[in-house]
Amino acid sequence: MKRCVKCILPNSFPGIAFDQQGVCNHCRSYEGSVQKSQEPRRKLERKFSELLESIPRMGNYDCVIAYSGGKDSSYTLKLMSERFGLRVVAMTFDNGFLPELTYQNIRHVVEGVGVDHITIKPNFQLLRKIFVEASKGALYPKKTVERASTVCTSCIAFVKFISLRVAIEQSIPFVVFGWSPRQVSGSSPIFKMNPMIIKSMQKVLYTPLHRIAGDAINPYFLEPRHFTFADRFPYSISPLSFVEYREDTVLREIAAYGWRRPDEVDANSTNCLLNSFANELHRTQYGYNPYVFELSKLVREGYLERSEALERVEQLGNPAVIELVRRRLGLVSPELYAKRK
Ligand SMILES: [Zn+2]
């Protein structure tokens, strides 16, 4: 497999082109732009502090954190509560594939930091149906498969809209995500959610999911009444983009609460078994790891060594975990692993 000599994008990645030096078009256009569009970290942090001062805190919480129990969202939770002094409610979406250790990690962190916590666990049969359909191929616009597997995109849709729903219903001004710096590409780490834009974003995800599972998904998305509260639409905040982010520091600080990395999970996820399965499926169907775009960006921007990124995309998921997921989803047919084109 040929890969860009600067980042790690492979020749199987859609639309990729290499020049004579073996550098890909994404790296070349990055050199040209040199982060001009990105607001510097300090400016963003100041912007967030100013927002904190100017926004009235009417409800019982200042922020809802989408809390997966992974390292990044665990660290984010600590930051929001301790550094920024916010009243936090953590929200975990339980997709039915959290390792046992993740439940323990969640308990250690929410108790250690001292925040309220809610778990939302939809009927597993509903989720199973969705994940099975998502395993068969693309449900969403084509571009989404370049950034994440269809299974993960489905799961993230739930996470995003449940947190937003909680925020609107409880007048919480900030929805906070633990995306690491590379994951917030495209949108700013701080922005006010616009009801019209959110409505069209939801439609793209909701429509295919509704086709699969019907009205049973309604409790997890915004309903028409939520759009009548335009003034309650919160800010979306991704603090790991504007605070110092070092993986070793993150791991050390959360280990102090008793957080441990689940052994059985692959290198790109510290909190979900489904991830290994979804990665392998995506790799078979599309010919590249669904994290390759994200990891390449990280290498390009100097957050990660190229060799380490390579190691992560080439690491295969634990076969026992993948088998467990397949069995739990009731997937036996090998034709699932056919190539997509
Ligand atoms: Zn490249």
Side-chain angles (χ1 to χ4, degrees):
M1 177 182 283
K2 183 180 174 182
R3 286 184 190 277
C4 170
V5 296
K6 287 210 161 183
C7 68
I8 56 167
L9 285 176
N11 52 1
S12 51
F13 195 78
I16 192 112
F18 299 100
D19 64 15
Q20 287 184 337
Q21 283 82 49
V23 179
C24 79
N25 49 329
H26 294 269
C27 286
R28 286 300 183 211
S29 62
Y30 173 76
E31 283 168 10
S33 70
V34 195
Q35 289 177 285
K36 261 176 225 140
S37 59
Q38 280 190 10
E39 293 175 87
R41 217 166 59 194
R42 286 193 191 292
K43 206 174 139 197
L44 282 166
E45 187 166 3
R46 207 178 322 123
K47 185 172 166 184
F48 183 54
S49 304
E50 285 166 10
L51 263 183
L52 288 182
E53 282 168 27
S54 66
I55 296 221
R57 307 191 191 176
M58 299 181 308
N60 297 312
Y61 299 106
D62 302 318
C63 69
V64 53
I65 297 184
Y67 185 41
S68 67
K71 64 176 167 47
D72 291 334
S73 61
S74 294
Y75 184 66
T76 302
L77 196 152
K78 175 187 159 83
L79 276 178
M80 289 296 106
S81 176
E82 293 183 357
R83 187 188 310 186
F84 294 105
L86 299 185
R87 297 170 302 165
V88 170
V89 57
M91 192 285 299
T92 300
F93 173 61
D94 184 341
N95 66 7
F97 290 97
L98 306 189
E100 284 308 315
L101 187 54
T102 295
Y103 291 104
Q104 290 178 34
N105 283 336
I106 287 173
R107 198 170 62 239
H108 288 316
V109 173
V110 298
E111 290 181 1
V113 179
V115 299
D116 287 355
H117 179 234
I118 48 179
T119 299
I120 304 221
K121 179 164 172 42
N123 177 347
F124 183 69
Q125 296 313 324
L126 162 78
L127 294 177
R128 197 184 70 82
K129 220 158 144 185
I130 287 171
F131 294 144
V132 166
E133 286 307 310
S135 303
K136 292 179 187 164
L139 291 176
Y140 313 109
K142 227 175 151 191
K143 269 275 178 229
T144 60
V145 301
E146 295 174 13
R147 312 296 168 96
S149 67
T150 304
V151 170
C152 287
T153 302
S154 308
C155 201
I156 298 288
F158 277 84
V159 173
K160 280 184 179 164
F161 286 98
I162 296 168
S163 344
L164 181 51
R165 183 172 169 137
V166 168
I168 292 170
E169 289 178 354
Q170 298 207 39
S171 299
I172 301 173
F174 300 107
V175 174
V176 177
F177 297 98
W179 309 132
S180 48
R182 77 249 186 200
Q183 291 170 312
V184 281
S185 62
S187 55
S188 163
I190 300 175
F191 69 94
K192 174 103 166 122
M193 294 189 178
N194 171 303
M196 293 314 292
I197 296 173
I198 296 293
K199 199 173 200 167
S200 60
M201 276 172 57
Q202 173 168 287
K203 199 174 166 207
V204 170
L205 300 162
Y206 176 89
T207 309
L209 292 173
H210 189 261
R211 212 165 39 231
I212 297 165
D215 288 346
I217 65 166
N218 288 354
Y220 314 109
F221 288 84
L222 299 186
E223 301 185 64
R225 66 188 162 92
H226 294 104
F227 291 98
T228 64
F229 300 114
D231 56 325
R232 289 202 210 161
F233 273 64
Y235 281 85
S236 167
I237 309 287
S238 302
L240 298 187
S241 291
F242 57 81
V243 299
E244 188 80 32
Y245 181 91
R246 287 186 52 103
E247 192 160 322
D248 51 353
T249 315
V250 167
L251 290 171
R252 195 181 54 239
E253 293 205 16
I254 60 176
Y257 297 113
W259 188 97
R260 287 182 297 145
R261 182 188 284 273
D263 287 335
E264 65 265 44
V265 182
D266 66 66
N268 291 302
S269 172
T270 51
N271 59 304
C272 178
L273 300 174
L274 191 56
N275 198 273
S276 305
F277 166 82
N279 285 351
E280 175 162 313
L281 196 59
H282 189 284
R283 203 162 14 203
T284 314
Q285 292 172 336
Y286 298 97
Y288 56 91
N289 184 308
Y291 281 86
V292 77
F293 185 82
E294 182 181 312
L295 289 168
S296 291
K297 189 161 181 282
L298 205 60
V299 171
R300 211 173 285 136
E301 294 175 5
Y303 290 105
L304 186 67
E305 292 294 330
R306 187 176 182 277
S307 56
E308 204 196 324
L310 255 183
E311 208 172 288
R312 284 195 206 177
V313 289
E314 282 171 356
Q315 193 201 53
L316 296 174
N318 179 336
V321 170
I322 293 169
E323 188 48 34
L324 182 148
V325 171
R326 284 175 60 139
R327 230 176 301 133
R328 200 158 148 67
L329 288 177
L331 283 173
V332 280
S333 60
E335 72 265 24
L336 261 184
Y337 286 82
K339 264 198 158 134
R340 299 295 125 134
K341 263 298 164 238

